[in-house]
Amino acid sequence: LGIFMSLGVLGFWLALGIAIAGLSGFSEVNQLFQYPMFTVGMGVVICALAIGMCGLFDIKLPTKVYNVTPKHDTFTGSVLFGIMTAVLSTPCTGPFMGAAAAWSATQPPLVTVAVFAAIGTGMAIPYLILSAFPALARKMPSAGPVSLLVKQILGLCLLAAGAYFLGVGLNGLLTTPPDEPGLWH
């Protein structure tokens, strides 16, 4: 069942990579950061995520989302549980995976799919190892004060990244470029 869950995680990321590789409008993603309003917007979103990680607010999903619990004691349920695990991990991996996705989207389709396959494999391997060796799973730390502290520290790191994007974007908005060189006659 652990193999099927890992296949679900990998399948989600492969499907996402194939979808992005198939889109033709991603050839100019790297130029988005040249627009100060985009960079400021990214900074605002990252800062909001960071403040949420530090515990200032929580966003609750609709109750129907929490009621979706596929039975993961079957092969199909394990694959669905792997897909759900990958989907639910995107808010945590988004800030880091976003850079890889943006870069890979400007590459040939095979490279894009390979990058997303690597992301999926990297996420699936810990689940595969823990399902192969259940004694390791029992040694994993449970949620508690330490995990909350780690989340808050990572929130501060994310806040620093958001401040960087805000600074770069605001610098682009508030500075005026020098005059173009003219020809002397």
Side-chain angles (χ1 to χ4, degrees):
L1 293 177
I3 291 171
F4 282 88
M5 181 187 172
S6 298
L7 287 174
V9 171
L10 180 60
F12 169 80
W13 289 106
L14 274 174
L16 191 61
I18 290 169
I20 289 177
L23 295 175
S24 60
F26 273 99
S27 61
E28 302 294 326
V29 168
N30 58 346
Q31 290 184 351
L32 283 174
F33 290 97
Q34 294 177 3
Y35 297 103
M37 287 307 294
F38 176 79
T39 310
V40 168
M42 287 289 297
V44 168
V45 169
I46 292 172
C47 285
L49 291 171
I51 292 169
M53 284 180 69
C54 290
L56 198 61
F57 64 88
D58 288 324
I59 297 175
K60 301 293 182 193
L61 296 174
T63 313
K64 291 181 181 182
V65 174
Y66 294 109
N67 291 336
V68 175
T69 54
K71 289 186 171 236
H72 49 276
D73 57 352
T74 64
F75 294 127
T76 304
S78 292
V79 170
L80 291 174
F81 192 68
I83 292 170
M84 188 173 75
T85 300
V87 169
L88 292 176
S89 73
T90 53
C92 300
T93 60
F96 306 106
M97 193 272 306
W103 173 81
S104 72
T106 62
Q107 303 303 309
L110 188 59
V111 174
T112 302
V113 173
V115 167
F116 278 88
I119 291 169
T121 302
M123 184 178 286
I125 285 175
Y127 293 111
L128 189 59
I129 291 171
L130 289 174
S131 65
F133 303 102
L136 288 176
R138 289 188 283 279
K139 291 182 180 183
M140 296 296 292
S142 60
V146 173
S147 63
L148 182 61
L149 179 65
V150 169
K151 183 176 115 176
Q152 291 172 345
I153 290 171
L154 292 175
L156 290 175
C157 293
L158 197 58
L159 189 61
Y164 169 78
F165 280 108
L166 279 172
V168 169
L170 290 173
N171 185 38
L173 284 174
L174 299 175
T175 57
T176 55
D179 292 332
E180 294 182 24
L183 296 174
W184 291 88
H185 293 333

